[in-house]
Every structure is written in structure tokens, then in C-alpha cells.
Amino acid sequence: MSSTPPPPPSSPSSPSSPSSSPSRGLDGAQLGAYFALIEVSSLLRHSVEQQLQEAGGLSYVQFQLLATLGDSPGGSARMTDLADGVVYSRSGLTYQAQLLEKRGLATRAPSVEDERGTTVTITAEGRSVLDDVFPGHVAVLGDLLFTPLDGSDVAQLADVLGRVRDHMRSVPPRSAAPRRRSRATAPPRDA
């Protein structure tokens, strides 16, 4: 039994031909690529989450936050920028940042750039936890993702995934969409 469903029937002039609109069906190669990507992503994330929990008591999102902050200038970033970067809801990210703050791994403060915003900063303890989890994290990535690939495979994978990511990022995720202002707080309109 094949793990990839057969491609939908089509003829060169049917609506599912490659030159048709985006609502067309997917061919067998596209379905195979999609299902492989989903499975690889799920398997890798499961192993990474397990390693992060065992080594540092971190969720996947908490690790993403700390790693992003660790790479940021001054170890700080605005919550809105973090939400966009990790593609997570603002409210969910606020909760995760609160958990990191309770553990002493990050601090939160009003943003100096935007009075309504919040800036999150990694602490020395947060950097220490990153130092603890990174060796195992790198080992999981090496064992599961990179072992079956050679150098040219990795370069091709990076190129393909980079192009897809850039295409997807051309429309900002909901977490990065501008907030609507309520009518009560909106400035009066000139008549």
C-alpha cells in the first residue's frame, strides 16, 4: 500500500493542469512533497520538544523565544516582533513570556519605542539554560535531519525552504497584522 495517494485524474486541458489557477488540484509529486514535509516536520518537532523538555524544561515556543532573544542585539526584542518571528498569537506569546519571567529566564518591560508595547530581554539564567539545551538540540538536528544528507543536499534544502519561507512571509502572519483601534480610542476624523 502506497503512503502517497494517486494523483487526481486530469487531462492536459483540464482545470488541474499546471498552468491553471491556484484552486487546481495537486499532482502526485506535489502531494508527495507536502506529505513528506508534514511528516518530517512532525517527527523532528516531537524529538526536539522532548529533548528541550528533558534538558531545560522548555517548551518548543519558549526555546524559540530564548534563542531569538539570545541572537538579538542586547538580548531584547519587542513582543510584536517576537510573535511575528515565531508565528505565534500575541496572547499565547504573552503567556509563554510570563512563564519564562517566572523562571527568571527573561524579563519584560514597557517598550521605549512604543508605549503600548512590551520588550522582552533574556537574562543570564536564560542564557545558561540555552547553553544547557543547545548541545542536545544540535545532536537531534544532526541525527534526524542532516545525517541522510550530503553538503549539496543541505544547500538545496536551504535554498528551496528559504524560497518557500520568503513567499509565505510576503503576507504577514496574523500575529504581525496591525491591531485595529476601537472607535472610542480612534482620533476624530476631519469632516
Side-chain angles (χ1 to χ4, degrees):
M1 180 179 221
S2 172
S3 63
T4 304
S10 65
S11 66
S13 61
S14 75
S16 63
S17 66
S19 61
S20 66
S21 73
S23 63
R24 65 180 170 80
L26 299 176
D27 65 29
Q30 290 169 324
L31 280 172
Y34 170 71
F35 287 134
L37 177 64
I38 294 302
E39 190 171 357
V40 164
S41 177
S42 295
L43 290 166
L44 185 61
R45 184 163 178 161
H46 173 77
S47 294
V48 165
E49 285 177 337
Q50 188 174 16
Q51 182 273 324
L52 292 172
Q53 187 61 45
E54 290 170 2
L58 296 175
S59 70
Y60 186 78
V61 172
Q62 290 169 351
F63 170 74
Q64 285 183 293
L65 290 175
L66 288 178
T68 301
L69 292 171
D71 282 346
S72 298
S76 298
R78 289 180 2 169
M79 287 289 287
T80 302
D81 296 333
L82 288 168
D84 178 32
V86 300
V87 191
Y88 208 68
S89 72
R90 288 179 175 125
S91 62
L93 196 70
T94 297
Y95 175 72
Q96 295 297 325
Q98 287 171 342
L99 293 176
L100 291 174
E101 189 173 39
K102 283 180 185 175
R103 285 186 59 191
L105 307 181
T107 60
R108 295 179 305 144
S111 172
V112 295
E113 300 166 359
D114 176 5
E115 63 196 39
R116 297 177 307 157
T118 301
T119 298
V120 182
T121 304
I122 191 169
T123 64
E125 181 67 23
R127 289 187 188 279
S128 177
V129 169
L130 278 181
D131 289 343
D132 292 343
V133 300
F134 261 121
H137 182 68
V138 170
V140 168
L141 294 178
D143 291 345
L144 292 180
L145 182 60
F146 297 116
T147 292
L149 306 177
D150 65 23
S152 66
D153 292 333
V154 173
Q156 285 181 316
L157 181 64
D159 175 61
V160 169
L161 292 178
R163 283 186 279 139
V164 172
R165 180 208 52 225
D166 293 347
H167 171 73
M168 290 179 168
R169 288 261 180 208
S170 68
V171 176
R174 185 169 184 252
S175 63
R179 290 184 178 171
R180 289 177 147 175
R181 295 172 69 171
S182 70
R183 291 180 182 234
T185 61
R189 297 169 73 173
D190 293 327

